[in-house]
Amino acid sequence: MLDPWQLGRVELANRVVMAPMTRNRADEHGVLPEAAVDYYAQRAGAGLIVTEGTQPTAAAQGYPGTPGLHTDVQQAVWAEVADAVHARGGRIFCQLMHTGRISHASLVPPGARIVAPSAVRADLEVQTADGRSVPAPEPEEMTPDDIAEVVEGFASSAARAVAAGLDGVELHAANGYLLHQFLAPGTNRRTDAYGRTPAGRARFVVEVTRAVAERIGADRVGIRISPGGQFNDMDDRDNDETYVRLAAEIGELRPAYLHTLRRRSTPLHRTLRETWPTTYVLNTGYNGGSELDDVAPIVAEGAAHLVSVGRLFISNPDLVERWRHGHPRAAWDEDTFYTGGERGYTDYPAWHEADGSAASSAPTRRGAPA
Ligand SMILES: Cc1cc2nc3c(=O)[nH]c(=O)nc-3n(C[C@H](O)[C@H](O)[C@H](O)COP(=O)(O)O)c2cc1C
């Protein structure tokens, strides 16, 4: 767990990945605050940081306060983040996220449409630019031109990521966002070449991966999936073949890694692990737990090369050092996950600061481990 690992062209100091986590602190232009430079630098002890979900184009945004990577100003702050993480010996991939049907007209540019593989509305509430919750809109089915435009958007944003000095990108094909919406039968009702069969449902994600790999090199590209996941009103049942097909096709490109969210181990997970040709990353957080005792056996038994850990990294910027030395872990405060400015963001102390006044002035934490 705490030994180095070669990931594509970069060496990671250890096998612990900070999982991607949306923090909604960017401004209305999708520009990260300066505090984000500290936030990521504080967490550079992770072998790899995967950033919060980031829109590759303005039309890909689905929540207020998520950052973009499609303008020069956005890119400039990402460059500062990359420099700060590298200066502390860390590595960082930017997660590119197009939210598809999980969005609202107030979050995308005037005239942009909310698109998805098919016109299937999510039965949930989405957020508006000013933070209200309203019923999700019915998305428009993507045309071939829309598909080409989104593919190009991912590729050009990935080029910006590399230009900013980030080590690579992770394509977000999990948790009910656009790429997952193509993979899952409940949201993909298409009858053209992008639907109907496992190969059809996988096609769009394969095309995005190929385009991004051609632009920046496959060894700078990771991809995150959540087979069977129900988050965001998804119906992804009986769909193992699509994931097997997807992994086989993109595996030929030899991307840096495949990152799977797993609630319980199934034959599909074993197949993916056994057939995936490069680094395999597992996140068992929501069900299996993300403490050292939960994740160390995953690496020891070979169920994955790397494990990703989410919430513990919010409240323990120096998580790997705490694990290494057996220091206690601080609990996280859910109330500041998505709000709060620098509170709950950059004010969780590292262990050596965590005694005396720093600890006693910290806010009351909830939802926590020990
Ligand atoms: C505040 C928060 C924001 C998240 N945002 C994202 C995201 O932007 N992209 C993503 O793929 N997963 C996201 N996730 C899921 C995490 O990457 C991870 O899978 C989850 O937290 C479970 O792992 P854990 O139990 O170690 O926290 C988010 C989770 C949390 C708690």
Side-chain angles (χ1 to χ4, degrees):
M1 278 288 295
L2 305 180
D3 290 343
W5 178 258
Q6 189 69 33
L7 179 80
R9 65 182 82 182
V10 293
E11 186 174 80
L12 311 183
N14 57 66
R15 318 253 172 120
V16 186
V17 177
M18 175 173 156
M21 283 179 292
T22 291
R23 305 302 311 272
N24 306 81
R25 277 142 165 106
D27 70 14
E28 66 276 24
H29 305 292
V31 179
L32 283 172
E34 279 298 318
V37 179
D38 276 344
Y39 169 71
Y40 284 114
Q42 287 170 348
R43 289 158 179 79
L48 175 69
I49 293 171
V50 182
T51 73
E52 60 207 284
T54 299
Q55 53 268 9
T57 62
Q61 187 169 354
Y63 296 95
T66 53
L69 187 39
H70 52 88
T71 71
D72 291 346
V73 182
Q74 294 164 352
Q75 185 179 324
V77 185
W78 281 118
E80 287 181 54
V81 169
D83 282 351
V85 169
H86 290 155
R88 293 206 182 184
R91 296 293 183 182
I92 179 165
F93 274 42
C94 182
Q95 188 186 56
L96 297 182
M97 165 167 97
H98 189 310
T99 57
R101 67 178 188 159
I102 308 297
S103 184
H104 184 264
S106 62
L107 294 167
V108 298
R113 293 137 55 231
I114 307 299
V115 295
S118 305
V120 181
R121 200 185 80 79
D123 186 14
L124 47 70
E125 294 198 322
V126 294
Q127 290 173 43
T128 63
D130 56 10
R132 284 174 303 121
S133 295
V134 297
E138 181 171 309
E140 290 183 40
E141 176 179 313
M142 284 168 74
T143 64
D145 282 352
D146 293 331
I147 288 178
E149 196 178 313
V150 172
V151 169
E152 172 53 30
F154 272 96
S156 43
S157 183
R160 282 188 180 273
V162 171
L166 295 157
D167 296 295
V169 298
E170 177 177 282
L171 305 175
H172 194 353
N175 294 350
Y177 300 109
L178 183 67
L179 274 56
H180 192 193
Q181 291 160 26
F182 269 88
L183 295 171
T187 39
N188 184 341
R189 309 268 175 87
R190 300 178 74 97
T191 53
D192 65 2
Y194 292 92
R196 245 183 26 241
T197 61
R201 287 192 292 274
R203 183 182 310 271
F204 176 66
V205 183
V206 172
E207 286 184 4
V208 171
T209 310
R210 185 174 297 125
V212 172
E214 278 171 6
R215 199 70 59 95
I216 64 170
D219 59 355
R220 293 194 213 263
V221 184
I223 179 157
R224 189 173 216 213
I225 56 173
S226 54
Q230 298 173 352
F231 184 68
N232 277 324
D233 190 31
M234 292 299 285
D235 182 355
D236 195 13
R237 280 171 292 181
D238 302 325
N239 197 28
D240 287 6
E241 271 186 68
T242 299
Y243 288 95
V244 171
R245 180 73 189 227
L246 174 72
E249 289 202 39
I250 62 176
E252 283 177 21
L253 304 169
R254 299 189 67 82
Y257 65 83
L258 181 67
H259 185 180
T260 305
L261 270 125
R262 188 186 81 181
R263 284 183 177 262
R264 60 191 174 84
S265 182
T266 67
L268 173 66
H269 292 106
R270 283 189 289 280
T271 303
L272 293 174
R273 167 68 185 94
E274 282 161 16
T275 56
W276 182 253
T278 65
T279 298
Y280 193 73
V281 189
L282 205 52
N283 179 268
T284 56
Y286 285 134
N287 260 23
S290 286
E291 257 301 344
L292 184 59
D293 289 349
D294 304 309
V295 298
I298 291 173
V299 173
E301 290 159 14
H305 302 109
L306 310 175
V307 289
S308 75
V309 178
R311 291 162 294 179
L312 276 171
F313 262 114
I314 289 182
S315 51
N316 298 274
D318 56 340
L319 179 65
V320 175
E321 281 305 292
R322 291 189 192 218
W323 277 352
R324 199 184 291 280
H325 300 293
H327 297 319
R329 268 71 72 189
W332 58 74
D333 173 14
E334 289 180 14
D335 293 345
T336 51
F337 277 0
Y338 304 110
T339 177
E342 296 184 25
R343 196 165 60 83
Y345 191 50
T346 47
D347 65 349
Y348 288 104
W351 175 253
H352 65 274
E353 308 157 19
D355 48 11
S357 58
S360 57
S361 66
T364 311
R365 313 282 196 221
R366 299 188 334 189

